[in-house]
Amino acid sequence: MIDLHTHILPYVDDGAADLEMALEMGRYAASKGIRVIAATPHFYQIPDWGKIQSKVAELQKAFLQHQINVTVVAGAELFMDLDIAVMAPNQIPTYGAGGRYCLIELPLRQVPMYTEQVIFSLQTKGIVPIIAHPERYLAVGNDPNVVFTWIELGCLVQMNTGSILGRFGQQVQSTAEIMLTHNMVHFLGSDGHSLNRRRLNLVEGYEAARKIIGEEGAGRLVRENPEIVLKNEGFPIPEPRKYQKKKRFWFF
């Protein structure tokens, strides 16, 4: 399995507090059959793509020294901001140097009015935005078809495993199930921060998704699709289905 969203890189954000924690997270991942982890720290807390890649190389070296059989790849979690529109392509953190996919998150409580402008700007630079955990966004909870629109614009979608497992509440879990059953999810990621709070629960999330969309569909979200991203290949975006909100009937 491949986890495309973690905060395993130590000392940089609210994820792994130190190297020992990062090593423990790596050992846990290996024990669960996760063979590749993308280190995706919050870019606003370490806004230097070259520095992130260097720190990831150091962590990979530490994994090898401690015989942790997990590959760590560089990435970052961008925050939706107009500054992205003026960044040079080589400054934008993608999955791997010179990659074509980047992870980007939005504010939880609102969709910025410039969101489509930033999406278009990334696409003109040859970069495909992967929207991080949209099931947690208030606007998506109110209308899951917001995600449908982003996919129609050419974005991909990463869902947090904690959302499917109910770690963020019933509303988020219900939204996650709607997205899964309407072909609005392309990747599952743990968004793991430690061994306790928001851990690397990719396997548990996969099992929960398997019960909703079947083994083949869930497998694509943790194996085939992430591998396409890491290989920097073109992604065949499957057609999403619009969510039809159930009508309420009132009886007098």
mmCIF file of all heavy atoms in Angstrom, residues 6 11 24-25 64 69-70 76 91 122 132 159 177 182 186 221 247-248:
data_model
loop_
_atom_site.group_PDB
_atom_site.id
_atom_site.type_symbol
_atom_site.label_atom_id
_atom_site.label_comp_id
_atom_site.label_asym_id
_atom_site.label_seq_id
_atom_site.Cartn_x
_atom_site.Cartn_y
_atom_site.Cartn_z
ATOM 1 N N THR A 6 1.000 12.166 4.653
ATOM 2 C CA THR A 6 1.429 11.987 6.045
ATOM 3 C C THR A 6 2.253 13.199 6.482
ATOM 4 O O THR A 6 2.780 13.947 5.668
ATOM 5 C CB THR A 6 2.312 10.732 6.234
ATOM 6 O OG1 THR A 6 3.642 11.016 5.765
ATOM 7 C CG2 THR A 6 1.749 9.526 5.511
ATOM 8 N N TYR A 11 10.260 17.505 13.022
ATOM 9 C CA TYR A 11 10.729 18.849 13.366
ATOM 10 C C TYR A 11 10.166 19.982 12.507
ATOM 11 O O TYR A 11 10.616 21.120 12.638
ATOM 12 C CB TYR A 11 12.265 18.948 13.303
ATOM 13 C CG TYR A 11 13.016 17.904 14.079
ATOM 14 C CD1 TYR A 11 13.796 16.952 13.416
ATOM 15 C CD2 TYR A 11 12.978 17.867 15.474
ATOM 16 C CE1 TYR A 11 14.507 15.986 14.123
ATOM 17 C CE2 TYR A 11 13.691 16.908 16.186
ATOM 18 C CZ TYR A 11 14.444 15.975 15.505
ATOM 19 O OH TYR A 11 15.150 15.018 16.202
ATOM 20 N N GLU A 24 9.354 5.488 14.623
ATOM 21 C CA GLU A 24 8.284 4.643 15.146
ATOM 22 C C GLU A 24 7.108 4.587 14.168
ATOM 23 O O GLU A 24 6.489 3.531 13.975
ATOM 24 C CB GLU A 24 7.822 5.149 16.510
ATOM 25 C CG GLU A 24 8.804 4.866 17.637
ATOM 26 C CD GLU A 24 9.050 3.379 17.825
ATOM 27 O OE1 GLU A 24 8.071 2.597 17.788
ATOM 28 O OE2 GLU A 24 10.216 2.988 17.991
ATOM 29 N N MET A 25 6.796 5.717 13.554
ATOM 30 C CA MET A 25 5.740 5.745 12.547
ATOM 31 C C MET A 25 6.115 4.862 11.363
ATOM 32 O O MET A 25 5.289 4.138 10.809
ATOM 33 C CB MET A 25 5.476 7.183 12.090
ATOM 34 C CG MET A 25 4.838 8.061 13.153
ATOM 35 S SD MET A 25 4.786 9.825 12.699
ATOM 36 C CE MET A 25 3.513 9.807 11.421
ATOM 37 N N LEU A 64 16.869 3.468 6.457
ATOM 38 C CA LEU A 64 17.779 2.412 6.018
ATOM 39 C C LEU A 64 18.699 1.983 7.158
ATOM 40 O O LEU A 64 18.948 0.786 7.355
ATOM 41 C CB LEU A 64 18.606 2.894 4.824
ATOM 42 C CG LEU A 64 17.838 3.085 3.504
ATOM 43 C CD1 LEU A 64 18.725 3.754 2.464
ATOM 44 C CD2 LEU A 64 17.310 1.757 2.983
ATOM 45 N N ASN A 69 11.817 -1.049 6.362
ATOM 46 C CA ASN A 69 11.619 -1.328 4.942
ATOM 47 C C ASN A 69 10.445 -0.527 4.367
ATOM 48 O O ASN A 69 9.441 -1.089 3.936
ATOM 49 C CB ASN A 69 11.403 -2.827 4.730
ATOM 50 C CG ASN A 69 11.448 -3.217 3.267
ATOM 51 O OD1 ASN A 69 12.066 -2.531 2.453
ATOM 52 N ND2 ASN A 69 10.777 -4.305 2.924
ATOM 53 N N VAL A 70 10.587 0.783 4.384
ATOM 54 C CA VAL A 70 9.585 1.695 3.831
ATOM 55 C C VAL A 70 10.308 2.774 3.042
ATOM 56 O O VAL A 70 11.297 3.342 3.511
ATOM 57 C CB VAL A 70 8.738 2.356 4.945
ATOM 58 C CG1 VAL A 70 7.804 3.408 4.359
ATOM 59 C CG2 VAL A 70 7.930 1.310 5.704
ATOM 60 N N ALA A 76 4.486 17.774 -0.285
ATOM 61 C CA ALA A 76 4.112 18.809 0.676
ATOM 62 C C ALA A 76 2.623 19.068 0.530
ATOM 63 O O ALA A 76 2.013 18.726 -0.488
ATOM 64 C CB ALA A 76 4.903 20.098 0.460
ATOM 65 N N GLN A 91 9.263 25.705 -8.079
ATOM 66 C CA GLN A 91 9.119 26.053 -6.667
ATOM 67 C C GLN A 91 7.941 25.330 -6.018
ATOM 68 O O GLN A 91 7.819 25.311 -4.796
ATOM 69 C CB GLN A 91 8.905 27.567 -6.510
ATOM 70 C CG GLN A 91 10.079 28.422 -6.957
ATOM 71 C CD GLN A 91 9.753 29.907 -6.861
ATOM 72 O OE1 GLN A 91 8.643 30.336 -7.203
ATOM 73 N NE2 GLN A 91 10.699 30.678 -6.372
ATOM 74 N N LEU A 122 -2.220 26.298 -11.688
ATOM 75 C CA LEU A 122 -1.416 25.080 -11.555
ATOM 76 C C LEU A 122 -1.459 24.254 -12.833
ATOM 77 O O LEU A 122 -0.433 23.734 -13.293
ATOM 78 C CB LEU A 122 -1.923 24.249 -10.375
ATOM 79 C CG LEU A 122 -1.599 24.779 -8.976
ATOM 80 C CD1 LEU A 122 -2.410 24.030 -7.919
ATOM 81 C CD2 LEU A 122 -0.110 24.658 -8.678
ATOM 82 N N ALA A 132 -6.873 17.847 -0.961
ATOM 83 C CA ALA A 132 -6.747 17.062 0.264
ATOM 84 C C ALA A 132 -8.030 17.098 1.086
ATOM 85 O O ALA A 132 -8.626 18.158 1.270
ATOM 86 C CB ALA A 132 -5.579 17.588 1.103
ATOM 87 N N MET A 159 -8.942 11.411 0.051
ATOM 88 C CA MET A 159 -9.796 11.348 1.236
ATOM 89 C C MET A 159 -8.999 10.834 2.427
ATOM 90 O O MET A 159 -8.168 9.929 2.290
ATOM 91 C CB MET A 159 -10.982 10.419 0.971
ATOM 92 C CG MET A 159 -11.871 10.174 2.180
ATOM 93 S SD MET A 159 -13.304 9.143 1.768
ATOM 94 C CE MET A 159 -14.283 10.340 0.860
ATOM 95 N N GLU A 177 -18.819 8.728 2.701
ATOM 96 C CA GLU A 177 -19.513 7.601 2.064
ATOM 97 C C GLU A 177 -20.199 8.020 0.772
ATOM 98 O O GLU A 177 -20.182 7.279 -0.224
ATOM 99 C CB GLU A 177 -20.522 7.009 3.051
ATOM 100 C CG GLU A 177 -19.862 6.304 4.226
ATOM 101 C CD GLU A 177 -20.864 5.786 5.246
ATOM 102 O OE1 GLU A 177 -22.091 5.938 5.007
ATOM 103 O OE2 GLU A 177 -20.430 5.230 6.273
ATOM 104 N N HIS A 182 -20.051 7.731 -5.173
ATOM 105 C CA HIS A 182 -20.305 8.539 -6.371
ATOM 106 C C HIS A 182 -19.023 8.784 -7.186
ATOM 107 O O HIS A 182 -18.941 9.710 -7.980
ATOM 108 C CB HIS A 182 -20.962 9.862 -5.989
ATOM 109 C CG HIS A 182 -22.406 9.722 -5.593
ATOM 110 N ND1 HIS A 182 -22.783 9.149 -4.401
ATOM 111 C CD2 HIS A 182 -23.562 10.039 -6.241
ATOM 112 C CE1 HIS A 182 -24.104 9.131 -4.318
ATOM 113 N NE2 HIS A 182 -24.598 9.651 -5.420
ATOM 114 N N HIS A 186 -10.114 9.483 -5.408
ATOM 115 C CA HIS A 186 -9.069 8.820 -6.196
ATOM 116 C C HIS A 186 -7.964 8.219 -5.332
ATOM 117 O O HIS A 186 -7.237 7.333 -5.783
ATOM 118 C CB HIS A 186 -8.471 9.816 -7.188
ATOM 119 C CG HIS A 186 -9.505 10.484 -8.036
ATOM 120 N ND1 HIS A 186 -9.895 11.797 -7.840
ATOM 121 C CD2 HIS A 186 -10.274 10.010 -9.034
ATOM 122 C CE1 HIS A 186 -10.848 12.106 -8.718
ATOM 123 N NE2 HIS A 186 -11.093 11.045 -9.449
ATOM 124 N N LEU A 221 -7.552 2.810 -4.646
ATOM 125 C CA LEU A 221 -7.313 4.045 -3.897
ATOM 126 C C LEU A 221 -6.038 4.009 -3.066
ATOM 127 O O LEU A 221 -5.520 5.063 -2.681
ATOM 128 C CB LEU A 221 -8.510 4.333 -2.971
ATOM 129 C CG LEU A 221 -9.891 4.400 -3.627
ATOM 130 C CD1 LEU A 221 -10.943 4.785 -2.591
ATOM 131 C CD2 LEU A 221 -9.912 5.382 -4.789
ATOM 132 N N LYS A 247 -35.118 13.796 -1.443
ATOM 133 C CA LYS A 247 -36.192 14.747 -1.156
ATOM 134 C C LYS A 247 -36.914 14.360 0.132
ATOM 135 O O LYS A 247 -37.059 13.187 0.445
ATOM 136 C CB LYS A 247 -37.195 14.779 -2.310
ATOM 137 C CG LYS A 247 -36.615 15.323 -3.604
ATOM 138 C CD LYS A 247 -37.683 15.356 -4.685
ATOM 139 C CE LYS A 247 -37.112 15.929 -5.994
ATOM 140 N NZ LYS A 247 -38.138 15.971 -7.049
ATOM 141 N N ARG A 248 -37.314 15.378 0.851
ATOM 142 C CA ARG A 248 -38.094 15.141 2.055
ATOM 143 C C ARG A 248 -39.574 15.309 1.749
ATOM 144 O O ARG A 248 -39.972 16.194 1.015
ATOM 145 C CB ARG A 248 -37.676 16.128 3.154
ATOM 146 C CG ARG A 248 -36.272 15.901 3.697
ATOM 147 C CD ARG A 248 -35.985 16.811 4.857
ATOM 148 N NE ARG A 248 -34.669 16.572 5.446
ATOM 149 C CZ ARG A 248 -34.193 17.225 6.496
ATOM 150 N NH1 ARG A 248 -34.921 18.167 7.074
ATOM 151 N NH2 ARG A 248 -32.996 16.953 6.969
#
